[in-house]
Amino acid sequence: MGDRIKAKIALVLTILIAASCMMAFIKISERASAYSPHGPIIINGNSDFTLANGVTDGSGTSMDPFIIEGWEIDATGFTDGISVSSTDAHFIIRDTFIYSAILSGIYFNDVSNGYIYNCSVSNNFIGILVYSSYNSFIRNNTISSNDLGTIFDSSSTISISGNGIDTSNWDGLYMWQSVNCTISDNDISFNSLSGIFLESCDNNFIINNTITDNSNAGIFLIYAPHNTCSGN
């Protein structure tokens, strides 16, 4: 077995272990029985994780992450439903419904240690936009009926798993100039262009996804060497 293959296997194991550890940090709590209305949330720096910005629990450590949950965010007329920038505190956005943003339902910029879990994100220009971020997780979300389902731009070590991404007007998942990310166990279907589109990306892993009924291609790679596709 060559050194390159060994390195790829080691990297996949590292990412999966990190994801498992992050899941362990999610506090077990009673889920909200219904969404509560909340205005769009803008967090710029760790100090903005406050009650007014939708934080319901937590202190921002790996064992006690900030929790943003249970909200219905109608972002009509706003750029983003939830915008998080320039943070390294641990936080989780979960069980939240975000729709009708001018740009993105959820936007990360220069974020590490973020987690988006079990959210419904629909009818935005972009469902979830992750830019210049790393060590974050997008898991078990429903991302539907956006112009673009998800975009990952100039990011690394992002885990995208267990999501349903469908009926986008363009691509379901578009990734640009990103490395060491894992796209696994997603259901990506009925998007008007490609299910997954990687451009100028390196050393990413596309594993065990169900990709059906996308109009252009299931998986489309351009200028994207040394990526691993398996079990799709």
Side-chain angles (χ1 to χ4, degrees):
M1 184 179 294
D3 291 341
R4 179 178 293 277
I5 299 299
K6 290 180 179 178
K8 284 190 174 184
I9 292 171
L11 183 55
V12 169
L13 290 173
T14 299
I15 292 169
L16 292 175
I17 291 168
S20 299
C21 291
M22 186 68 179
M23 284 298 294
F25 297 150
I26 298 179
K27 294 187 286 188
I28 304 301
S29 64
E30 183 180 354
R31 295 293 189 265
S33 59
Y35 297 120
S36 299
H38 198 288
I41 293 169
I42 300 174
I43 293 170
N44 186 12
N46 292 338
S47 63
D48 280 348
F49 285 105
T50 63
L51 183 64
N53 278 329
V55 175
T56 59
D57 200 0
S59 61
T61 68
S62 60
M63 297 301 294
D64 186 34
F66 291 120
I67 304 293
I68 297 172
E69 73 171 339
W71 302 118
E72 178 178 338
I73 299 176
D74 179 354
T76 301
F78 291 86
T79 303
D80 306 301
I82 298 176
S83 173
V84 183
S85 301
S86 303
T87 66
D88 59 8
H90 293 257
F91 70 94
I92 302 166
I93 301 168
R94 70 185 180 196
D95 301 316
T96 291
F97 178 29
I98 308 110
Y99 56 94
S100 298
I102 294 170
L103 181 59
S104 51
I106 301 175
Y107 174 49
F108 283 4
N109 179 8
D110 187 26
V111 166
S112 61
N113 305 316
Y115 205 116
I116 303 171
Y117 178 75
N118 201 37
C119 291
S120 178
V121 187
S122 63
N123 295 301
N124 308 280
F125 182 67
I126 303 166
I128 296 175
L129 170 57
V130 176
Y131 174 71
S132 190
S133 297
Y134 67 98
N135 192 36
S136 293
F137 302 83
I138 318 296
R139 185 162 186 175
N140 289 13
N141 301 284
T142 299
I143 305 163
S144 181
S145 301
N146 303 281
D147 285 318
L148 264 159
T150 56
I151 294 180
F152 300 90
D153 183 350
S154 305
S155 295
S156 64
T157 325
I158 308 293
S159 175
I160 305 133
S161 65
N163 302 286
I165 307 173
D166 64 73
T167 54
S168 306
N169 291 328
W170 296 347
D171 300 305
L173 189 156
Y174 176 72
M175 184 173 285
W176 162 259
Q177 291 191 340
S178 295
V179 299
N180 299 335
C181 298
T182 299
I183 303 165
S184 64
D185 300 297
N186 300 285
D187 188 343
I188 303 175
S189 59
F190 297 103
N191 300 286
S192 295
L193 293 179
S194 298
I196 298 173
F197 183 2
L198 268 61
E199 184 174 3
S200 301
C201 294
D202 197 9
N203 287 318
N204 299 288
F205 305 89
I206 304 171
I207 302 170
N208 295 336
N209 300 282
T210 300
I211 306 168
T212 59
D213 296 299
N214 301 283
S215 298
N216 186 16
I219 301 173
F220 187 76
L221 283 71
I222 184 168
Y223 306 119
H226 310 134
N227 295 283
T228 299
C229 297
S230 177
N232 301 289

